[in-house]
Amino acid sequence: MDSFEARLQFISVIKNLQKTLGVSKRLDNDPVQFYLNHYEQHYEDFHQCLFDTAAKMDSLDRLNVVIYYSKIVQVLHGEQTELNARVLNQLLLPSIDSMLLLALPSQDWKALTNLDACIDIFQKCNSLMGG
């Protein structure tokens, strides 16, 4: 799959997280599995897609992207490889604060409903990293 096709498919995965995240265990419809199947060649593109697509969503829908982000972090952390360490340490972990802020934008009072979930996600990711 070329980079353009991968980005289009990944954007579709992100936009459908509300329907697929945590619901489907089928490998052909699991958004985490899609990431894992294709991230070796496209992890930088996928990272940018996560932020670009989430920024265009309603703040309440962004929580699904944050949950997805954290699930990817957990899976990559659990499978220690050189690539996983690079993706975690160079992209995902340094950007986790930016991802959380997308779900909690200032001046958006309804986004406060995301606060408890974002705190839980931050604490889980922090504990994974020994914090």
Side-chain angles (χ1 to χ4, degrees):
M1 167 176 357
D2 68 16
S3 182
F4 181 72
E5 182 182 357
R7 287 177 68 92
L8 288 177
Q9 285 187 22
F10 191 61
I11 289 168
S12 177
V13 166
I14 296 166
K15 288 181 176 180
N16 288 302
L17 285 174
Q18 184 174 0
K19 299 174 195 167
T20 59
L21 191 62
V23 174
S24 175
K25 296 301 178 200
R26 291 185 358 226
L27 292 181
D28 62 336
N29 201 28
D30 181 19
V32 175
Q33 195 60 47
F34 178 87
Y35 182 90
L36 295 173
N37 288 341
H38 302 288
Y39 84 105
E40 289 180 15
Q41 296 84 22
H42 306 291
Y43 63 89
E44 290 171 328
D45 289 332
F46 286 178
H47 190 72
Q48 190 63 48
C49 284
L50 279 166
F51 282 90
D52 291 347
T53 305
K56 295 174 186 171
M57 295 175 148
D58 181 83
S59 60
L60 297 179
D61 294 329
R62 293 175 188 168
L63 183 59
N64 289 322
V65 180
V66 173
I67 293 168
Y68 182 51
Y69 196 88
S70 72
K71 287 180 182 250
I72 292 168
V73 167
Q74 291 171 21
V75 169
L76 294 182
H77 182 266
E79 299 173 10
Q80 295 294 325
T81 68
E82 185 178 328
L83 177 62
N84 289 1
R86 183 177 24 179
V87 172
L88 281 170
N89 295 325
Q90 292 179 4
L91 287 176
L92 296 176
L93 294 176
S95 302
I96 200 162
D97 59 333
S98 299
M99 180 56 67
L100 291 167
L101 288 173
L102 276 174
L104 299 166
S106 63
Q107 306 300 319
D108 185 350
W109 293 102
K110 73 178 187 267
L112 285 176
T113 60
N114 294 342
L115 183 60
D116 287 339
C118 286
I119 290 170
D120 289 344
I121 288 167
F122 176 78
Q123 288 174 337
K124 283 179 188 173
C125 290
N126 193 39
S127 68
L128 276 177
M129 301 307 137

